[in-house]
């Protein structure tokens, strides 16, 4: 049996498959389908300093092979995460990635310091949410600000720090280099691509927020390209996501340069997607004579 | 536990223009399901599943009935499924209706909001009245099923082509005047639910409404399916798939 374990910035994962932030809540719902201990880790719903209501509905629009969402970071705030969600998650036998989003540089640092000593395995700093008007995407689209917010979090904590990048930029490699230079231990990408759907009967956008983030298989080739470019531009590990729905997709993403993968919208179509991908990776390794899955990371041979 | 699986369709009927009635053999789901819950069905070629209410539950035979209207391309695809084929669903989902056993109920369904009224009214049998409203006679469904369950059906149509001409809310007021029920159940368009909730409140009757919202996960993880509700005097966003689809009408912020 192949060794599926991977190491990202010093954090050991039993396998490289991690449900993506916002697509798995805190695991409570999916635990009613399978034990969470099957998973490499869980990236929890984006957490902010204070409770957030999120945007008005409808918050979802279907697209060819994917969907738009405009949730707007609805969550109970970091204190509720620490007191209610985290104690439960810690008993589940999987790695916990705390996904955080501050509305200012200072608040991002404060959020990170509140996680010190909590037992989360990793922080994923979201500088890329397209659904919040304050901060959010603005952090992720400007190299200087992306660097500043990374540094504020780095200074506040020793927890391994992964910065999640926005694809809605001219040069994602420049942002990646800036967060690397400011102390990020890893980067994860991609967050959703900004999109829009219009109901032609009512001539109104389907989303009450007018625009929202595109994810699902539709974005996969864009994500593979960006992961490949970023993996070639930085020395820190890259965690790849965007449209992954099968073990073959995960292999492709890893060959592009991803040390681990996250699975998001595919879970909505098939709640078992993450465990099917894990089983599929094992089978793929056996069939292809791969003893250690991590050996395939970045092995694409470009023309 | 939630289940996701492929279950055989054992009966299919076209019950009105563009409306289909599927019977699905799924003993594990049927044994757990309660009136008011729903299922998430995969439509081939579409990314998101379609939420459909459980219309009827037959625990002895291990079947569920799903009644739906073709509204767009996804439900059109579902309408092409035939007996012998499998339906891929996640079920049973959401919170069902509160039941007051031995009491009197009025169930109000507007259009395609009528199906979930069948399973709940059946629990009350002769103690239930089912008021259903449709645009026109050709769209009227489930009237014989209510009768067969001992429920008193009252049919309303907007154009008067069948039953009483007029809105379900008028029929509801008239029924309450005749005999006040202990609880009212309602599913249908938001304006109808708002009207029903107001009538219930004026008469001091408990009222349970089933809401709709666009969904992705269907289980409470993605947070897309919001509705405005009131908790401790404060408006918040609840999630139709997990906190509902059934809510106490007093909790719902109907707006305007
Ligand atoms: C809890 C619940 C129970 C339901 N029960 C029934 C039922 O028993 N019978 C029935 O006929 N219909 C029911 N509906 C409505 C049904 O889900 C929609 O008519 C259906 O999703 C439309 O899909 P479509 O592809 O044909 O339409 P399209 O408009 O092409 O769909 C595009 C997208 O919007 C979503 N969508 C469109 N309209 C609705 C809607 N009204 N509610 C939720 N999502 C929508 C679709 O799921 C899809 O993701 C229910 C909805 C909910 C939320
Ligand atoms: C409903 C929904 C909510 C999301 N919420 C968050 C979030 O809170 N924080 C975050 O960093 N990313 C969030 N994302 C982005 C995903 O984590 C992921 O980056 C993106 O969806 C691409 O992966 P996918 O195509 O596999 O879904 C969300 C995505 C969806 C679909
Ligand atoms: S549809 Fe995902 S939370 Fe309701």
């Amino acid at each position: 049996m192949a060794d599926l374990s991977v190491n990202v910035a010093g954090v050991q994962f039993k396998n490289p498959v991690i449900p993506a932030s916002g697509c798995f809540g805190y695991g409570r719902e999916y635990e009613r389908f399978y034990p969470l201990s099957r998973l490499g880790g869980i990236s929890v719903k984006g957490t902010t300093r204070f409770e957030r209501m999120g945007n008005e509905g409808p918050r979802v629009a279907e697209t060819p092979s994917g969907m738009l969402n405009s949730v707007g970071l609805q969550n109970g705030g970091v204190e509720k995460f620490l007191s209610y969600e985290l104690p439960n998650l810690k008993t589940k036998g999987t790695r916990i990635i705390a996904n955080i989003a501050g509305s200012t540089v200072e608040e991002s640092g404060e959020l990170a310091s509140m996680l010190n000593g909590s037992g989360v395995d990793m922080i994923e700093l979201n500088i890329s949410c397209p659904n919040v008007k304050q901060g959010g995407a603005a952090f992720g689209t400007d190299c200087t600000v992306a660097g500043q917010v990374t540094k504020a979090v780095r200074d506040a904590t020793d927890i391994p720090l992964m910065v999640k990048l926005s694809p809605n930029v001219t040069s994602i490699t420049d942002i990646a280099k800036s967060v690397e230079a400011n102390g990020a231990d890893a980067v994860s990408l991609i967050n959703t691509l900004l999109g829009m759907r219009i109901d032609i009967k009512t001539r109104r956008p389907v989303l009450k927020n007018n625009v929202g983030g595109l994810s699902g298989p539709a974005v996969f080739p864009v994500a593979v390209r960006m992961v490949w470019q970023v993996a070639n531009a930085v020395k820190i590990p890259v965690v790849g996501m965007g449209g992954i729905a099968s073990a073959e997709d995960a292999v492709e993403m890893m060959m592009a340069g991803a040390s681990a993968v996250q699975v998001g919208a595919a879970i909505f179509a098939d709640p078992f997607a993450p465990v099917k991908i894990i089983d599929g990776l094992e089978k793929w390794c056996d069939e292809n004579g791969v003893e250690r899955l991590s050996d395939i990371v970045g092995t694409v041979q470009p023309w | 536990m939630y289940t996701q699986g492929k279950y055989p369709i054992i009966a299919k009927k076209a019950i009105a223009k563009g409306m289909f009635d599927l019977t699905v053999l799924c003993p594990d789901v049927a044994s757990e399901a309660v009136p008011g819950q729903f299922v998430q069905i995969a439509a081939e070629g579409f990314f998101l599943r379609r939420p459909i209410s459980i219309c009827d539950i037959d625990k002895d035979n291990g079947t569920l009935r799903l009644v739906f209207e073709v509204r767009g391309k996804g439900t059109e695809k579902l309408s092409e499924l035939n007996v012998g084929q499998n339906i891929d669903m996640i079920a049973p989902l959401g919170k069902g209706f509160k039941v007051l056993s031995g009491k009197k109920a009025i169930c109000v369904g507007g259009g395609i909001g009528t199906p979930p009224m069948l399973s709940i009214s059946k629990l009350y049998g002769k103690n239930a009245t089912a008021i259903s409203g449709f645009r026109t006679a050709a769209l009227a469904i489930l009237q014989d099923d209510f009768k067969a369950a001992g429920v008193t059906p009252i049919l309303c149509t907007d154009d008067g082509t069948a039953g009483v001409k007029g809105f379900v809310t008028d029929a509801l007021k008239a029924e309450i005047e005749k005999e006040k029920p202990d609880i009212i159940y309602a599913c249908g368009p938001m304006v109808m639910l708002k009207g029903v909730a107001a009538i219930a409140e004026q008469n001091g009757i408990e009222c349970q409404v089933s809401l709709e919202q666009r969904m992705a996960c269907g289980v409470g993880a993605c947070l897309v399916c919001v509705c405005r509700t009131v908790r401790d005097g404060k408006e918040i966003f609840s999630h139709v798939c997990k906190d509902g689809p059934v809510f106490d009408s007093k909790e719902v912020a109907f707006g305007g």
Side-chain angles (χ1 to χ4, degrees), chain A residues 58-62 199 206, chain B residues 51 212-216 224-226 240:
Chain A
R59 293 178 175 181
V60 62
E62 193 175 47
D199 179 338
V206 175
Chain B
E212 281 189 4
Q213 182 51 282
R214 287 176 185 247
M215 293 184 177
V224 302
C225 60
V226 278
V240 172

Side-chain angles (χ1 to χ4, degrees), chain A residues 212-260:
Chain A
L214 179 65
S215 62
V219 308
F220 183 64
V222 178
V224 172
R225 184 266 293 179
M226 289 189 160
V227 165
W228 179 65
Q229 288 179 325
V230 168
N232 284 300
V234 296
K235 295 195 182 62
I236 53 178
V238 178
V239 170
M241 79 191 91
I244 295 173
S246 67
E248 288 73 18
D249 294 343
V251 167
E252 187 172 337
M253 193 62 100
M254 293 180 83
M255 287 180 176
S259 297

Side-chain angles (χ1 to χ4, degrees), chain B residues 103-158:
Chain B
K103 297 286 173 75
K104 189 179 172 339
I106 298 183
C107 306
V108 187
I112 201 60
T114 308
M117 292 302 125
L118 181 60
S119 55
I120 184 64
S121 66
K122 271 191 165 183
L123 294 184
Y124 291 86
K126 63 177 177 25
N127 288 326
T129 301
I131 302 173
S132 347
F134 303 94
R135 283 202 309 284
T136 185
L139 299 174
I141 52 168
L142 300 173
Q143 299 306 299
D144 292 339
D145 293 274
F146 287 121
K147 260 182 237 156
V151 175
T152 312
I154 297 176
L155 174 62
C156 308
T157 53
D158 296 355

